[in-house]
Amino acid sequence: MARIKRHRIIVWAVGGVVLVAGIGVVVASSRVPLNAKTDEIPLAQAKRGEIDLRVHATGELRASHSIMLAAPAVGGDALQLTHLVRTGQSVKKGDVVFEFDPSEQRYKLEQNRSELQQAEQEITKAKADAAVLAAEDKVTLLKDRYSVRRAELDVQKNELVSKIDAEKNELALAQAKRVLAEQEKDIESHKASGQAATYLAQEKYNKAKLGMDQAQQNLDKMRVTAPMDGLVSIQKNMNASGGFFFTGMSLPDYHEGDQVQPGSAIVQVVDPQGLDLTSKIDEQDRDNVMVGQQVEVVFDALPGQIFHGTVKNVGGMSVRQFFTTNAKGNFEVSIQLAKEDPRLRSGFSAQIVFLGGVKKNVVYLPRQALFLKDGKRIVFVKMGNGYKQREVKIQSVNESRAAVEGLKEGSRVALIDPTAPRKTTGASSSTGSSGGTP
């Protein structure tokens, strides 16, 4: 601190830099004095050496080609599983994977078959009734025509009979013609009525036939077969808890005898030739993972055995999860395994190591010593009783260390921000764990 010989001294604190001004004199210091004791700030020393750029992550084995098999949407009550293959069992296309109790569908089939037979009888009866009525109408029509013809002959004799008899003959002819006309109309009405009765019976037959066909289709759906060659993966029974479910709840797999709601997913048939390993890496590790990079994988279900693979794809967009306290984003990485193994199953979890390079002869320090201020990466270098803020450039970074430029080997840097406010209790102050992240 520069020595001031004036008596009037004014002190300002601007942006963490102390300015001391006398009469016409201003002295600036680049160091940051602390309100707390300096030994309360944890320090780390910049060292020269090498850092390993390997990235450690977890992943899950997923099937790139799989087909989900569900209970048929047949309507009605729940279906009961009577047969179900085991998880991991190999199936061929057309093999029966699971079956349901067909009793209800058989009952519906027989019921619709009975209705169909009844409709057939009604059609036969309607046609027979129409035929009998048509025959009766035909006979009646002949009689009425005969009556008209006889009345016409009687009218022709009017010149030979009395006037009264002649008028009777005329009235008889008119009556006979009226009866004939009414009979002809009745015949048309009887014909339409017979056709309607037959049509209604036919519609009943069609409805029963449709119901019977539907029941037969539902009966056939009670046996679900594999659509392709693959391995079976039994799904969780979401209805095992009675419809109550919350995140993290443990549910059992489907078993024979379970009641299944129509449309529920029961089995996933997985193509064992198309398994991909997926993982998520943090934003700060994105630069250390690239397409074609070699990886080592250890599956939790197969401990002690190392599998090899390469990075197939790295997501181009960072994805943040909602409802989490972690504000950092993740990139999804897809990994192609080097060889197939019949023991691998979709859903296996794995520990993954992305084999990055090694940076040699670099100055590195803990990542906790890096801070972001005004869009720049800085460190707080210990200088006497204070700290000096210094901008650095990050060369490489791994999970715990960062190689930087702009910092000398042996420099001591703060692991927490000395300018950040801290809670004090009495004469002592406690420091927070607000270390920086690159």
Side-chain angles (χ1 to χ4, degrees):
M1 181 72 70
R3 183 174 299 176
I4 306 300
K5 295 183 180 181
R6 306 284 181 151
H7 295 287
R8 297 178 62 186
I9 301 176
I10 303 173
V11 179
W12 295 276
V14 180
V17 179
V18 177
L19 304 180
V20 183
I23 301 175
V25 179
V26 179
V27 180
S29 173
S30 61
R31 297 181 185 178
V32 181
L34 301 174
N35 294 327
K37 296 181 180 180
T38 57
D39 56 5
E40 294 179 353
I41 304 296
L43 301 175
Q45 188 174 10
K47 299 180 181 180
R48 182 175 295 277
E50 63 181 33
I51 63 171
D52 190 350
L53 299 181
R54 295 188 177 192
V55 176
H56 296 262
T58 59
E60 181 182 357
L61 199 60
R62 298 178 183 176
S64 59
H65 182 207
S66 63
I67 298 178
M68 189 69 71
L69 302 181
V74 297
D77 298 331
L79 305 172
Q80 184 177 15
L81 274 171
T82 57
H83 171 71
L84 180 64
V85 298
R86 301 184 307 274
T87 291
Q89 182 174 335
S90 177
V91 293
K92 298 292 183 180
K93 182 177 180 180
D95 290 349
V96 176
V97 181
F98 54 89
E99 293 183 64
F100 295 102
D101 182 8
S103 301
E104 181 178 357
Q105 303 306 320
R106 285 177 179 169
Y107 170 76
K108 291 181 178 180
L109 178 63
E110 294 301 324
Q111 186 180 29
N112 284 280
R113 181 179 284 115
S114 176
E115 293 178 357
L116 181 67
Q117 293 173 353
Q118 183 179 356
E120 289 177 342
Q121 293 176 0
E122 291 181 3
I123 291 175
T124 302
K125 183 177 181 300
K127 290 181 178 181
D129 291 344
V132 170
L133 186 58
E136 292 177 351
D137 289 340
K138 185 177 181 180
V139 173
T140 304
L141 182 62
L142 290 174
K143 290 181 178 181
D144 293 340
R145 287 176 177 175
Y146 174 76
S147 298
V148 171
R149 181 57 179 163
R150 187 176 60 181
E152 289 176 346
L153 293 175
D154 290 341
V155 169
Q156 292 178 2
K157 300 176 181 179
N158 285 345
E159 296 179 355
L160 304 176
V161 298
S162 65
K163 184 178 180 180
I164 294 175
D165 290 337
E167 291 179 354
K168 289 181 179 180
N169 290 337
E170 292 289 346
L171 292 173
L173 177 60
Q175 177 64 23
K177 289 183 177 180
R178 184 167 53 253
V179 171
L180 177 61
E182 291 177 355
Q183 181 61 31
E184 290 176 345
K185 292 180 179 180
D186 288 344
I187 290 176
E188 293 297 327
S189 176
H190 293 164
K191 183 178 180 181
S193 178
Q195 290 177 347
T198 305
Y199 175 78
L200 291 176
Q202 185 65 46
E203 286 300 310
K204 187 175 181 180
Y205 173 88
N206 294 338
K207 181 180 178 182
K209 182 66 167 62
L210 180 62
M212 182 178 172
D213 293 342
Q214 185 65 48
Q216 183 62 55
Q217 292 176 7
N218 291 341
L219 185 60
D220 296 338
K221 291 179 182 178
M222 295 298 100
R223 303 181 65 198
V224 180
T225 59
M228 67 176 186
D229 298 350
L231 300 176
V232 170
S233 175
I234 307 299
Q235 301 302 294
K236 299 295 183 182
N237 187 353
M238 304 299 292
N239 297 316
S241 60
F244 177 75
F245 179 76
F246 57 87
T247 303
M249 183 176 180
S250 178
L251 294 174
D253 293 343
Y254 279 104
H255 296 86
E256 293 180 357
D258 286 349
Q259 297 291 324
V260 182
Q261 294 297 327
S264 300
I266 300 176
V267 169
Q268 185 181 30
V269 180
V270 180
D271 182 4
Q273 308 299 324
L275 293 176
D276 284 340
L277 186 61
T278 60
S279 177
K280 294 184 183 297
I281 58 173
D282 293 338
E283 289 179 335
Q284 60 266 22
D285 295 324
R286 174 63 179 83
D287 293 336
N288 296 332
V289 177
M290 60 192 68
V291 175
Q293 185 173 345
Q294 299 296 313
V295 298
E296 292 182 349
V297 181
V298 176
F299 291 99
D300 296 337
L302 302 172
Q305 183 171 355
I306 299 177
F307 292 80
H308 299 276
T310 56
V311 176
K312 186 168 66 173
N313 183 44
V314 181
M317 181 179 295
S318 176
V319 179
R320 286 177 169 81
Q321 301 293 333
F322 292 100
F323 308 111
T324 61
T325 56
N326 183 15
K328 298 179 181 178
N330 295 318
F331 288 87
E332 186 166 313
V333 180
S334 177
I335 300 168
Q336 178 67 52
L337 296 177
K339 62 178 182 179
E340 301 170 359
D341 193 307
R343 296 173 297 173
L344 298 180
R345 299 286 185 271
S346 177
F348 276 12
S349 57
Q351 306 301 318
I352 305 171
V353 179
F354 296 88
L355 303 178
V358 176
K359 289 286 186 179
K360 298 183 177 180
N361 194 28
V362 293
V363 175
Y364 64 87
L365 63 151
R367 280 174 48 177
Q368 190 180 0
L370 292 168
F371 300 88
L372 181 64
K373 287 187 177 294
D374 299 328
K376 299 178 181 180
R377 299 294 181 181
I378 59 100
V379 295
F380 292 99
V381 182
K382 177 69 173 173
M383 304 291 288
N385 293 327
Y387 294 87
K388 182 177 182 181
Q389 178 177 306
R390 179 172 296 171
E391 181 181 356
V392 295
K393 181 179 179 182
I394 299 178
Q395 293 179 317
S396 301
V397 64
N398 62 12
E399 293 181 337
S400 60
R401 299 174 180 178
V404 298
E405 293 180 359
L407 188 66
K408 294 182 180 180
E409 178 183 356
S411 299
R412 294 187 301 164
V413 295
L415 294 179
I416 63 174
D417 187 349
T419 65
R422 294 178 301 280
K423 296 180 180 179
T424 59
T425 303
S428 63
S429 63
S430 62
T431 59
S433 59
S434 58
T437 56

